[in-house]
Amino acid sequence: MKIVGLTGGIGSGKSTVVRIFGDLGVHWVDADDVAREVVEPGTAGLAAIAEHFGREILQADGALDRAALRQRVFENPEERHWLERLLHPVIREELVRQLQSPDAPYSQPYVLLVSPLLLETDQHELVDRIVVVDVPEDIQIERTMARDDNSQAQVERIMAAQMARDERRSRADAVIDNNRPLQDVERQVCELHNRFLFEFR
Ligand code: ADP
């Protein structure tokens, strides 16, 4: 089973593109979902975070207070590194488990790993191909603001922490231009799917 990594900056259209692959019968694992799963109540990940940051990092119901954690690591790069050293290996292990999960409805010779941090972390070592969903920065900002009701400054801060557009594109085996009507994006995904079926046959 081959693994294709799908990445792109916030609001570039990863979720939109992966749904089109899904319609073609391609199974995918979303790194954002896995990143949430590994800190759910009862996990070793959440226990380690609560021990390190104190119980004030938890909500009354015992779940992780994400806003509080974001604030703590935003203020302190050393805490951010501590958190990354804790979670990145756990996330990676769970990604591998889910990508290899034998009961997944595999009907295609490849699965997708969707991750905003595919290239920023060692997750790219897991994949056979890298696909980048690409839009100009102004479109990225516009679409993210409309989707998340964020201010331009908030979106720009998130983008500043992600890889620059040109560098991301330079690492791609294939680029999907998502500054296009959806119909055109669907055509690009179909072409890419056919290419992978050929390359992975
Ligand atoms: P990501 O998962 O990369 O953060 P999304 O797939 O959620 O990005 O896309 C961001 C926003 O832009 C969503 O509201 C989505 O509906 C919209 N969007 C995505 N692709 C297009 C497109 N080709 N044309 C218009 N809007 C789009």
Side-chain angles (χ1 to χ4, degrees), residues 40-109:
E40 275 171 2
T43 58
L46 186 57
I49 288 171
E51 193 185 332
H52 183 82
F53 290 99
R55 293 195 60 81
E56 63 267 26
I57 211 76
L58 302 178
Q59 298 170 348
D61 64 0
L64 181 61
D65 185 340
R66 293 176 174 283
L69 183 63
R70 246 195 319 273
Q71 188 64 28
R72 289 288 290 272
V73 301
F74 183 66
E75 286 166 356
N76 188 334
E78 266 178 41
E79 296 288 36
R80 183 163 59 86
H81 290 137
W82 180 88
L83 189 66
E84 286 172 353
R85 276 197 305 275
L86 171 77
L87 291 181
H88 284 177
V90 183
I91 293 169
R92 181 182 162 125
E93 195 179 318
E94 180 60 15
L95 284 173
V96 170
R97 199 190 65 76
Q98 293 193 13
L99 287 163
Q100 294 173 344
S101 159
D103 53 15
Y106 295 144
S107 55
Q108 302 291 352

Side-chain angles (χ1 to χ4, degrees), residues 8-17 19 143-144 146-147 178-182 185:
I10 182 169
S12 58
K14 295 178 293 299
S15 312
T16 305
V17 166
R19 275 195 295 272
R143 287 184 184 165
T144 307
R147 184 192 60 187
N178 193 27
N179 189 19
R180 311 278 310 162
L182 274 182
V185 180

Side-chain angles (χ1 to χ4, degrees), residues 7-20 30 32 114 116 133 135 139-140 142-148 162 177-186:
T7 192
I10 182 169
S12 58
K14 295 178 293 299
S15 312
T16 305
V17 166
V18 87
R19 275 195 295 272
I20 304 172
D30 186 322
D32 273 346
V114 189
V133 184
V135 290
I139 302 286
Q140 208 185 335
E142 192 180 292
R143 287 184 184 165
T144 307
M145 285 172 66
R147 184 192 60 187
D148 298 343
Q162 298 182 335
D177 176 7
N178 193 27
N179 189 19
R180 311 278 310 162
L182 274 182
Q183 230 177 355
D184 186 87
V185 180
E186 283 165 11

Side-chain angles (χ1 to χ4, degrees), residues 2 129 173 192-201:
K2 299 288 187 182
R129 297 284 189 283
D173 297 300
L192 199 52
H193 178 60
N194 285 331
R195 176 180 143 188
F196 288 143
L197 292 184
F198 179 76
E199 290 181 0
F200 298 150
R201 75 193 182 284

